[in-house]
Amino acid sequence: MIKQLEVVRREHLKEKPDMATLGFGTVFTDYMLSMDYNPEQGWHNAVILPYQNIELSPAAQVLHYGQAVFEGMKAYRTGDEVRLFRPEENFRRMNQSNARLNMPEVDIDFMVDTLKQLVTLEKDWIPTGEGQSLYIRPFVIATEAYLGVRAATHYKLLIILSPVGAYYGSDHLLATKIYVEDEYVRAVRGGVGFAKVAGNYAASLMAQTRATELGYDQVLWLDGVEQRYVEEVGSMNIFFVIDGTVVTPELNGSILPGITRKSILELAQHLGYPVEERRISIDDVFEASQAGTLQEIFGSGTAAVIAPVGSVKYKDQELVVNNGQAGLVTLDLYNHYTGIQNGTEKDPFGWCVKL
Ligand SMILES: *Cc1c(COP(=O)(O)O)cnc(C)c1O
């Protein structure tokens, strides 16, 4: 197990972008973390070095058989205080994803310590505007040059950082329009839906492109067997407020276990909302809408945080939620959740890790 972290400084720091007009994931900071794995040394060669291109054999296994796992998390700054949000959860999930793709697990404490050092070094890159943060992207790829099909022996872990604005543009609480995909599926039980692997996204792009062409923002995925039960949306988990209860699909192996999802469930309970994790069919959603009990829908994920859903299109029906506006429960959860992350509100759960 590695204990040492080397830091290679760059001579000149980059010029910072105009933080007022940040998009998502377009600008990268001065430094990154890199670490290598081989069977003899395990994880080794941990180094913070200038952000740069990486060298990879054209035969690297990730390019052919897709052993690639990633994570997404954020650092927030208020004045001089910097916070990470539940970072150990992300590395724990990374290990679950790694295990599913037959890739080596990481030492969670070492990764959190290393990330703290990297973010401390890059503190000046953390934007402080409304909805802004430093997006953190850890990922692991198979680097062994070998075209035979088996788990690779060599891997690289990298962490890159990107200052970001709100995921859906400046009006971050604008309700999104979602399209229920009834042909393709994202994941099936027994597959890799619960793991944060690159291939899940590759498989989702065609449906996303079609939804975008039809004028929708995101795809809502149904289960891979019956195509009846709601799973999740694009890069977010999904929540419904039905008759005052906050409902989200239960984890079933094909749904990604979001850290925002888990935190929203804990927060909603803490705020006194009844919560339910259960199977919910798309027909249930439309029936609740018809009956007038479907009050709100929102998505949850690190990138978008909480994104209200304004309408849902399924086959030839379309339902409008709360007049296409963010609802009161959504706003209440959003305000408390972002308040805890930004440090403007007490953190009764001990979620934030201060640098
Ligand atoms: C990352 C991700 C989410 C959200 O997870 P968080 O931990 O809340 O960011 C939801 N669905 C998919 C498919 C994802 O990749």
Side-chain angles (χ1 to χ4, degrees):
M1 187 48 57
I2 28 167
K3 296 271 181 295
Q4 293 276 314
L5 176 66
E6 192 195 338
V7 180
V8 180
R9 296 267 174 179
R10 53 193 298 160
E11 245 170 76
H12 301 288
L13 296 182
K14 296 184 196 174
E15 203 172 308
K16 305 278 188 302
D18 176 5
M19 298 291 193
T21 59
L22 288 171
F24 188 88
T26 52
V27 174
F28 302 96
T29 67
D30 288 306
Y31 292 96
M32 64 186 195
L33 174 96
S34 170
M35 211 162 101
D36 297 310
Y37 178 92
N38 66 32
E40 299 76 42
Q41 293 162 284
W43 286 108
H44 65 288
N45 199 19
V47 52
I48 289 176
L49 74 171
Y51 183 92
Q52 58 193 270
N53 290 345
I54 56 169
E55 199 167 285
L56 210 54
S57 162
Q61 286 198 326
V62 63
L63 302 175
H64 303 274
Y65 308 124
Q67 271 182 297
V69 154
F70 69 98
E71 270 304 324
M73 55 214 282
K74 281 176 171 174
Y76 302 85
R77 180 157 69 102
T78 314
D80 261 354
E81 259 182 19
V82 176
R83 289 180 176 68
L84 297 172
F85 187 76
R86 310 188 83 173
E88 68 299 331
E89 292 285 339
N90 289 88
F91 290 110
R92 196 171 299 142
R93 184 171 65 191
M94 174 179 257
N95 276 346
Q96 286 163 3
S97 304
N98 286 351
R100 180 63 183 82
L101 294 198
N102 219 322
M103 296 162 70
E105 295 183 19
V106 297
D107 183 301
I108 294 170
D109 292 338
F110 178 81
M111 290 317 303
V112 172
D113 277 358
T114 302
L115 178 62
K116 283 185 183 167
Q117 290 187 53
L118 178 63
V119 173
T120 302
L121 182 66
E122 297 289 58
K123 213 163 101 198
D124 294 343
W125 281 91
I126 310 175
T128 55
E130 165 81 21
Q132 297 185 328
S133 56
L134 184 69
Y135 185 75
I136 301 166
R137 168 52 62 85
F139 61 107
V140 186
I141 55 173
T143 52
E144 187 191 358
Y146 176 59
L147 293 184
V149 178
R150 58 150 169 72
T153 53
H154 289 59
Y155 296 90
K156 193 180 271 300
L157 180 152
L158 295 159
I159 302 179
I160 57 176
L161 308 174
S162 174
V164 297
Y167 193 65
Y168 294 117
S170 57
D171 197 353
H172 55 93
L173 280 173
L174 198 70
T176 55
K177 294 175 67 182
I178 58 180
Y179 181 85
V180 182
E181 178 54 51
D182 61 1
E183 182 183 0
Y184 302 111
V185 298
R186 187 191 86 97
V188 291
R189 230 153 299 164
V192 294
F194 70 90
K196 214 164 169 77
V197 306
N200 281 335
Y201 279 88
S204 76
L205 296 176
M206 231 170 106
Q208 177 62 50
T209 301
R210 183 167 64 184
T212 307
E213 281 168 4
L214 293 171
Y216 297 88
D217 303 304
Q218 291 275 316
V219 169
L220 174 69
W221 295 102
L222 300 178
D223 74 279
V225 180
E226 296 179 65
Q227 289 194 270
R228 269 184 70 196
Y229 297 100
V230 172
E231 298 234 308
E232 56 181 305
V233 195
S235 55
M236 296 186 292
N237 294 108
I238 189 155
F239 285 84
F240 302 89
V241 182
I242 301 174
D243 226 354
T245 298
V246 177
V247 182
T248 194
E250 67 189 353
L251 298 179
N252 59 359
S254 54
I255 293 174
L256 197 288
I259 293 158
T260 317
R261 174 190 179 279
K262 170 172 165 171
S263 307
I264 292 291
L265 283 171
E266 291 172 41
L267 177 63
Q269 261 171 309
H270 178 79
L271 295 174
Y273 295 106
V275 305
E276 268 177 30
E277 294 176 76
R278 63 170 165 92
R279 220 160 62 148
I280 176 164
S281 72
I282 190 67
D283 295 333
D284 292 340
V285 174
F286 275 79
E287 276 163 28
S289 173
Q290 289 275 302
T293 54
L294 176 67
Q295 294 156 320
E296 303 178 30
I297 305 182
F298 63 89
S300 76
T302 296
V305 190
I306 289 177
V309 171
S311 66
V312 180
K313 163 88 171 162
Y314 175 55
K315 298 191 193 284
D316 54 6
Q317 324 169 59
E318 185 152 6
L319 66 78
V320 174
V321 199
N322 196 41
N323 293 317
Q325 309 285 318
L328 291 176
V329 178
T330 306
L331 291 172
D332 190 32
L333 291 168
Y334 177 85
N335 289 332
H336 286 288
Y337 195 68
T338 54
I340 291 171
Q341 291 179 324
N342 292 321
T344 53
E345 192 164 317
K346 270 217 300 272
D347 173 14
F349 310 96
W351 284 338
C352 294
V353 174
K354 277 193 214 168
L355 296 190

